[in-house]
Amino acid sequence: MNRKYMNPYLAGFLLGLVLLLTFYITGRGLGASGAVKSTVIFAVDKISHQHAQESGYYSQFISDDAHPLNTWLVFEVLGVLAGAFLSGAIAGRLNFKVEHGPRITSRTRLAMAVLGGLMFGLGSQLGRGCTSGAALSGMASLSLAGFITMLAIFGSGYVYAYFFRKLWLK
Amino acid sequence: MGPLIPQGIIGSQWDLVIALLIGIAFGFVLESAGFSSSRKLAGVFYGYDFTVLRVFFTAAITAAIGLVYFDHAGWMDLSIIYVNPTFVSSALTGGAIMGLGFILGGYCPGTSFCGVAIGKIDAMFFTIGMFLGIFIFSEIFPWLEGFYLQRPLGPVKIYETLGISSGLFIFLLILVALAAFIVTDRVEKNIHKNKK
Amino acid sequence: MKRKYIIPILILLLLGAGILILPGRSGEREISPEELLQSLSNDSRFWSTDAVADKIIKQDPSMLLIDVREPEQFNEFSLPGAVNIPLKNILDEEWEPYFDAPDYDVVLFSNGQILPARAWVLLERLGYTNLRVMEGGLNKWAETILQPPKPDASAPGTEWEQYDFRRAARQYFTGGSGEINTEQPGETIQVPRRKKKNVVEGGC
């Protein structure tokens, strides 16, 4: 059913070129979780402007003249959605489904997905960026933070992997 | 000479158009590599699919090498690109929490968007979780602030910390990557053989 | 390892070895002669003595005065708060934080205009964009601020305003006596050290 994926090294090379181009044009790397942050800030600011102003975290990112959704990363992520949709459409991978390991139900998978997302949301804010913004872009610019974050994500992942193997393995 | 936007060579009104175009390329490559599938992503932790490591490492090396040569050719001023600042405690803890998120959720933020785009319902739930997580973080931020700012090192580069030249570091990184590619290739083959 | 990977691996190693051989860049870059010419023809690098006096009186913290003459001359007389960096030492690493301070206007001056112009060219080539030269130097300073010529009675009002300002400035700098204030300037100003120039905001 799934058409073949691109050779991983070729994909990595192309991704590296996209990243390089991004650095060349914008002076910074790619990102993903920052867009979610902008959206959260936007929502909180809409619901309670006062609360957003008072919070030590939101207020760093709110200014009266700049719309919180009008940021680079939000548009980049809209592009990611479009680009992934395009690739999926070309390869014939578009369909609604829940992908899960053979030993768990869809319901468990979805609960774990929410929990995982929650953890990633927390961690990406604490670690100042996610796999794309902190680890990948950070590694390309040879920043110490990039390497620390990358090692922490994947290093800890291998530790947890043993305990949660039921989620993914047969 | 790049970077173009910070130096005003491309006007900032093009900023968002470029963001959209770069995003499209980013998303297209991620999805083509198979990053829209959580089982494929999780494979890196169980040894049955090392695509993540291959794509990730190749991309980082390509961009790192490219940046050095761009800088050398005078096309780009490497000294003004953004280097994310290092805060040791929060980077380690944040990374460890993200690692847990990766195992539980099977995605990271960028790849979950790819999953959402092609209709993966688990990816959509992951994104919802992400919103919640960032919201919770913002709400408990006053309580975390001290830790968040602990052990700051500024925007340091890793070779400065190691005390070697950037060239030597990139060269070592290439060797490490090649070694990792060869080893993971063997591991993956063994695991698949054992299954059969 | 499959055969098709041999060529990419070789290219990768070659590029990596290339980086090893490349001479290290310090991140500082000389700007091209064209760019230099362009900024040379840009008059905004000259600050009038009035502008400098005004900023000194207002104690504007964003201005940094650099006296590029020799220490003996500097000790005789200089502007209040000026830092002495003789032209021949201007590229010493010790002084780098004074110039690599994008939030400051760095004003170079000497008796005339030749020394600071040289200093300006030297520094501009290193890519600093915040450099100014005090027009006419201390000679002009003495002419305009310390002994302002009285305009004609028929002169336009703006000249009179300028004259009033200069008289007031003279009072400020000379303590009203008309004598040059002999108080030793040159107290060191703490300039925050900045490592990177206008680093772009980012994040994930």
Side-chain angles (χ1 to χ4, degrees), chain B residues 115-136:
Chain B
V116 169
I118 66 157
K120 293 278 167 67
I121 296 163
D122 43 339
M124 296 172 195
F125 276 71
F126 183 91
T127 334
I128 295 169
M130 216 156 50
F131 279 96
L132 289 174
I134 293 179
F135 178 71
I136 292 171

PDB file of all heavy atoms in Angstrom, chain B residues 115-136:
ATOM      1  N   GLY B 115       2.711  14.059   9.806  1.00  0.00           N
ATOM      2  CA  GLY B 115       1.692  13.035  10.023  1.00  0.00           C
ATOM      3  C   GLY B 115       0.294  13.615   9.894  1.00  0.00           C
ATOM      4  O   GLY B 115      -0.582  13.035   9.244  1.00  0.00           O
ATOM      5  N   VAL B 116       0.093  14.784  10.497  1.00  0.00           N
ATOM      6  CA  VAL B 116      -1.208  15.441  10.424  1.00  0.00           C
ATOM      7  C   VAL B 116      -1.576  15.694   8.963  1.00  0.00           C
ATOM      8  O   VAL B 116      -2.708  15.444   8.539  1.00  0.00           O
ATOM      9  CB  VAL B 116      -1.178  16.785  11.200  1.00  0.00           C
ATOM     10  CG1 VAL B 116      -2.424  17.602  10.915  1.00  0.00           C
ATOM     11  CG2 VAL B 116      -1.044  16.529  12.693  1.00  0.00           C
ATOM     12  N   ALA B 117      -0.597  16.145   8.182  1.00  0.00           N
ATOM     13  CA  ALA B 117      -0.876  16.528   6.792  1.00  0.00           C
ATOM     14  C   ALA B 117      -1.361  15.356   5.959  1.00  0.00           C
ATOM     15  O   ALA B 117      -2.129  15.548   5.022  1.00  0.00           O
ATOM     16  CB  ALA B 117       0.373  17.144   6.163  1.00  0.00           C
ATOM     17  N   ILE B 118      -0.898  14.141   6.267  1.00  0.00           N
ATOM     18  CA  ILE B 118      -1.358  13.015   5.442  1.00  0.00           C
ATOM     19  C   ILE B 118      -2.424  12.195   6.159  1.00  0.00           C
ATOM     20  O   ILE B 118      -2.749  11.104   5.735  1.00  0.00           O
ATOM     21  CB  ILE B 118      -0.187  12.116   4.986  1.00  0.00           C
ATOM     22  CG1 ILE B 118       0.460  11.402   6.168  1.00  0.00           C
ATOM     23  CG2 ILE B 118       0.851  12.895   4.208  1.00  0.00           C
ATOM     24  CD1 ILE B 118       1.195  10.153   5.746  1.00  0.00           C
ATOM     25  N   GLY B 119      -2.969  12.750   7.236  1.00  0.00           N
ATOM     26  CA  GLY B 119      -4.161  12.140   7.810  1.00  0.00           C
ATOM     27  C   GLY B 119      -3.925  11.169   8.950  1.00  0.00           C
ATOM     28  O   GLY B 119      -4.821  10.406   9.304  1.00  0.00           O
ATOM     29  N   LYS B 120      -2.744  11.163   9.556  1.00  0.00           N
ATOM     30  CA  LYS B 120      -2.513  10.284  10.706  1.00  0.00           C
ATOM     31  C   LYS B 120      -3.232  10.847  11.933  1.00  0.00           C
ATOM     32  O   LYS B 120      -2.916  11.952  12.399  1.00  0.00           O
ATOM     33  CB  LYS B 120      -1.018  10.174  11.002  1.00  0.00           C
ATOM     34  CG  LYS B 120      -0.230   9.458   9.935  1.00  0.00           C
ATOM     35  CD  LYS B 120      -0.319   7.953  10.102  1.00  0.00           C
ATOM     36  CE  LYS B 120       0.187   7.209   8.876  1.00  0.00           C
ATOM     37  NZ  LYS B 120       1.616   7.381   8.669  1.00  0.00           N
ATOM     38  N   ILE B 121      -4.167  10.069  12.441  1.00  0.00           N
ATOM     39  CA  ILE B 121      -4.961  10.561  13.571  1.00  0.00           C
ATOM     40  C   ILE B 121      -4.112  10.614  14.844  1.00  0.00           C
ATOM     41  O   ILE B 121      -4.247  11.531  15.659  1.00  0.00           O
ATOM     42  CB  ILE B 121      -6.215   9.679  13.751  1.00  0.00           C
ATOM     43  CG1 ILE B 121      -7.091   9.819  12.499  1.00  0.00           C
ATOM     44  CG2 ILE B 121      -7.019  10.094  14.974  1.00  0.00           C
ATOM     45  CD1 ILE B 121      -8.115   8.746  12.329  1.00  0.00           C
ATOM     46  N   ASP B 122      -3.189   9.655  14.982  1.00  0.00           N
ATOM     47  CA  ASP B 122      -2.316   9.689  16.165  1.00  0.00           C
ATOM     48  C   ASP B 122      -1.460  10.952  16.165  1.00  0.00           C
ATOM     49  O   ASP B 122      -1.197  11.538  17.212  1.00  0.00           O
ATOM     50  CB  ASP B 122      -1.445   8.427  16.253  1.00  0.00           C
ATOM     51  CG  ASP B 122      -0.858   8.006  14.918  1.00  0.00           C
ATOM     52  OD1 ASP B 122      -1.399   8.414  13.877  1.00  0.00           O
ATOM     53  OD2 ASP B 122       0.141   7.270  14.920  1.00  0.00           O
ATOM     54  N   ALA B 123      -1.058  11.399  14.970  1.00  0.00           N
ATOM     55  CA  ALA B 123      -0.270  12.625  14.888  1.00  0.00           C
ATOM     56  C   ALA B 123      -1.100  13.826  15.338  1.00  0.00           C
ATOM     57  O   ALA B 123      -0.600  14.734  16.005  1.00  0.00           O
ATOM     58  CB  ALA B 123       0.229  12.835  13.465  1.00  0.00           C
ATOM     59  N   MET B 124      -2.394  13.797  14.983  1.00  0.00           N
ATOM     60  CA  MET B 124      -3.254  14.914  15.405  1.00  0.00           C
ATOM     61  C   MET B 124      -3.360  14.950  16.922  1.00  0.00           C
ATOM     62  O   MET B 124      -3.315  16.018  17.537  1.00  0.00           O
ATOM     63  CB  MET B 124      -4.635  14.776  14.773  1.00  0.00           C
ATOM     64  CG  MET B 124      -4.574  14.871  13.256  1.00  0.00           C
ATOM     65  SD  MET B 124      -6.142  14.495  12.481  1.00  0.00           S
ATOM     66  CE  MET B 124      -5.611  14.266  10.786  1.00  0.00           C
ATOM     67  N   PHE B 125      -3.504  13.777  17.519  1.00  0.00           N
ATOM     68  CA  PHE B 125      -3.589  13.739  18.985  1.00  0.00           C
ATOM     69  C   PHE B 125      -2.273  14.197  19.607  1.00  0.00           C
ATOM     70  O   PHE B 125      -2.258  14.855  20.641  1.00  0.00           O
ATOM     71  CB  PHE B 125      -3.962  12.328  19.459  1.00  0.00           C
ATOM     72  CG  PHE B 125      -5.441  12.088  19.438  1.00  0.00           C
ATOM     73  CD1 PHE B 125      -6.120  11.954  18.232  1.00  0.00           C
ATOM     74  CD2 PHE B 125      -6.165  11.995  20.626  1.00  0.00           C
ATOM     75  CE1 PHE B 125      -7.490  11.752  18.205  1.00  0.00           C
ATOM     76  CE2 PHE B 125      -7.543  11.795  20.601  1.00  0.00           C
ATOM     77  CZ  PHE B 125      -8.197  11.671  19.390  1.00  0.00           C
ATOM     78  N   PHE B 126      -1.182  13.832  18.961  1.00  0.00           N
ATOM     79  CA  PHE B 126       0.122  14.275  19.453  1.00  0.00           C
ATOM     80  C   PHE B 126       0.187  15.809  19.454  1.00  0.00           C
ATOM     81  O   PHE B 126       0.640  16.422  20.418  1.00  0.00           O
ATOM     82  CB  PHE B 126       1.236  13.710  18.561  1.00  0.00           C
ATOM     83  CG  PHE B 126       2.629  14.045  19.004  1.00  0.00           C
ATOM     84  CD1 PHE B 126       3.330  13.207  19.869  1.00  0.00           C
ATOM     85  CD2 PHE B 126       3.266  15.209  18.571  1.00  0.00           C
ATOM     86  CE1 PHE B 126       4.618  13.519  20.283  1.00  0.00           C
ATOM     87  CE2 PHE B 126       4.556  15.527  18.978  1.00  0.00           C
ATOM     88  CZ  PHE B 126       5.227  14.677  19.836  1.00  0.00           C
ATOM     89  N   THR B 127      -0.297  16.411  18.371  1.00  0.00           N
ATOM     90  CA  THR B 127      -0.266  17.884  18.285  1.00  0.00           C
ATOM     91  C   THR B 127      -1.105  18.507  19.389  1.00  0.00           C
ATOM     92  O   THR B 127      -0.699  19.502  20.000  1.00  0.00           O
ATOM     93  CB  THR B 127      -0.804  18.341  16.916  1.00  0.00           C
ATOM     94  OG1 THR B 127      -0.590  17.308  15.979  1.00  0.00           O
ATOM     95  CG2 THR B 127      -0.113  19.586  16.459  1.00  0.00           C
ATOM     96  N   ILE B 128      -2.264  17.896  19.645  1.00  0.00           N
ATOM     97  CA  ILE B 128      -3.104  18.418  20.741  1.00  0.00           C
ATOM     98  C   ILE B 128      -2.321  18.370  22.047  1.00  0.00           C
ATOM     99  O   ILE B 128      -2.292  19.332  22.816  1.00  0.00           O
ATOM    100  CB  ILE B 128      -4.409  17.593  20.853  1.00  0.00           C
ATOM    101  CG1 ILE B 128      -5.253  17.785  19.593  1.00  0.00           C
ATOM    102  CG2 ILE B 128      -5.197  17.987  22.103  1.00  0.00           C
ATOM    103  CD1 ILE B 128      -6.414  16.824  19.486  1.00  0.00           C
ATOM    104  N   GLY B 129      -1.650  17.232  22.269  1.00  0.00           N
ATOM    105  CA  GLY B 129      -0.835  17.097  23.476  1.00  0.00           C
ATOM    106  C   GLY B 129       0.226  18.181  23.550  1.00  0.00           C
ATOM    107  O   GLY B 129       0.492  18.734  24.620  1.00  0.00           O
ATOM    108  N   MET B 130       0.779  18.504  22.396  1.00  0.00           N
ATOM    109  CA  MET B 130       1.839  19.515  22.366  1.00  0.00           C
ATOM    110  C   MET B 130       1.306  20.874  22.811  1.00  0.00           C
ATOM    111  O   MET B 130       1.958  21.593  23.574  1.00  0.00           O
ATOM    112  CB  MET B 130       2.381  19.598  20.950  1.00  0.00           C
ATOM    113  CG  MET B 130       3.845  19.842  20.866  1.00  0.00           C
ATOM    114  SD  MET B 130       4.506  19.255  19.323  1.00  0.00           S
ATOM    115  CE  MET B 130       3.444  19.929  18.103  1.00  0.00           C
ATOM    116  N   PHE B 131       0.132  21.222  22.317  1.00  0.00           N
ATOM    117  CA  PHE B 131      -0.483  22.484  22.746  1.00  0.00           C
ATOM    118  C   PHE B 131      -0.651  22.489  24.260  1.00  0.00           C
ATOM    119  O   PHE B 131      -0.308  23.458  24.935  1.00  0.00           O
ATOM    120  CB  PHE B 131      -1.850  22.670  22.072  1.00  0.00           C
ATOM    121  CG  PHE B 131      -1.764  23.188  20.677  1.00  0.00           C
ATOM    122  CD1 PHE B 131      -1.786  22.330  19.594  1.00  0.00           C
ATOM    123  CD2 PHE B 131      -1.639  24.548  20.438  1.00  0.00           C
ATOM    124  CE1 PHE B 131      -1.695  22.812  18.299  1.00  0.00           C
ATOM    125  CE2 PHE B 131      -1.545  25.038  19.142  1.00  0.00           C
ATOM    126  CZ  PHE B 131      -1.571  24.163  18.075  1.00  0.00           C
ATOM    127  N   LEU B 132      -1.173  21.365  24.768  1.00  0.00           N
ATOM    128  CA  LEU B 132      -1.385  21.277  26.217  1.00  0.00           C
ATOM    129  C   LEU B 132      -0.059  21.424  26.953  1.00  0.00           C
ATOM    130  O   LEU B 132       0.035  22.164  27.942  1.00  0.00           O
ATOM    131  CB  LEU B 132      -2.022  19.927  26.574  1.00  0.00           C
ATOM    132  CG  LEU B 132      -3.476  19.749  26.153  1.00  0.00           C
ATOM    133  CD1 LEU B 132      -3.941  18.326  26.443  1.00  0.00           C
ATOM    134  CD2 LEU B 132      -4.357  20.751  26.892  1.00  0.00           C
ATOM    135  N   GLY B 133       0.949  20.735  26.467  1.00  0.00           N
ATOM    136  CA  GLY B 133       2.250  20.764  27.143  1.00  0.00           C
ATOM    137  C   GLY B 133       2.825  22.169  27.211  1.00  0.00           C
ATOM    138  O   GLY B 133       3.320  22.597  28.254  1.00  0.00           O
ATOM    139  N   ILE B 134       2.747  22.885  26.094  1.00  0.00           N
ATOM    140  CA  ILE B 134       3.302  24.241  26.087  1.00  0.00           C
ATOM    141  C   ILE B 134       2.477  25.153  26.987  1.00  0.00           C
ATOM    142  O   ILE B 134       3.018  25.992  27.704  1.00  0.00           O
ATOM    143  CB  ILE B 134       3.376  24.772  24.642  1.00  0.00           C
ATOM    144  CG1 ILE B 134       4.405  23.955  23.871  1.00  0.00           C
ATOM    145  CG2 ILE B 134       3.744  26.249  24.624  1.00  0.00           C
ATOM    146  CD1 ILE B 134       4.561  24.337  22.438  1.00  0.00           C
ATOM    147  N   PHE B 135       1.149  24.919  26.970  1.00  0.00           N
ATOM    148  CA  PHE B 135       0.288  25.710  27.851  1.00  0.00           C
ATOM    149  C   PHE B 135       0.660  25.465  29.315  1.00  0.00           C
ATOM    150  O   PHE B 135       0.837  26.400  30.096  1.00  0.00           O
ATOM    151  CB  PHE B 135      -1.183  25.353  27.600  1.00  0.00           C
ATOM    152  CG  PHE B 135      -2.132  26.081  28.490  1.00  0.00           C
ATOM    153  CD1 PHE B 135      -2.355  27.438  28.324  1.00  0.00           C
ATOM    154  CD2 PHE B 135      -2.794  25.413  29.520  1.00  0.00           C
ATOM    155  CE1 PHE B 135      -3.228  28.117  29.146  1.00  0.00           C
ATOM    156  CE2 PHE B 135      -3.661  26.088  30.350  1.00  0.00           C
ATOM    157  CZ  PHE B 135      -3.876  27.443  30.167  1.00  0.00           C
ATOM    158  N   ILE B 136       0.827  24.183  29.671  1.00  0.00           N
ATOM    159  CA  ILE B 136       1.182  23.858  31.055  1.00  0.00           C
ATOM    160  C   ILE B 136       2.526  24.486  31.412  1.00  0.00           C
ATOM    161  O   ILE B 136       2.693  25.090  32.470  1.00  0.00           O
ATOM    162  CB  ILE B 136       1.223  22.322  31.255  1.00  0.00           C
ATOM    163  CG1 ILE B 136      -0.186  21.750  31.140  1.00  0.00           C
ATOM    164  CG2 ILE B 136       1.829  21.969  32.616  1.00  0.00           C
ATOM    165  CD1 ILE B 136      -0.223  20.241  31.110  1.00  0.00           C
TER     166      ILE B 136
END
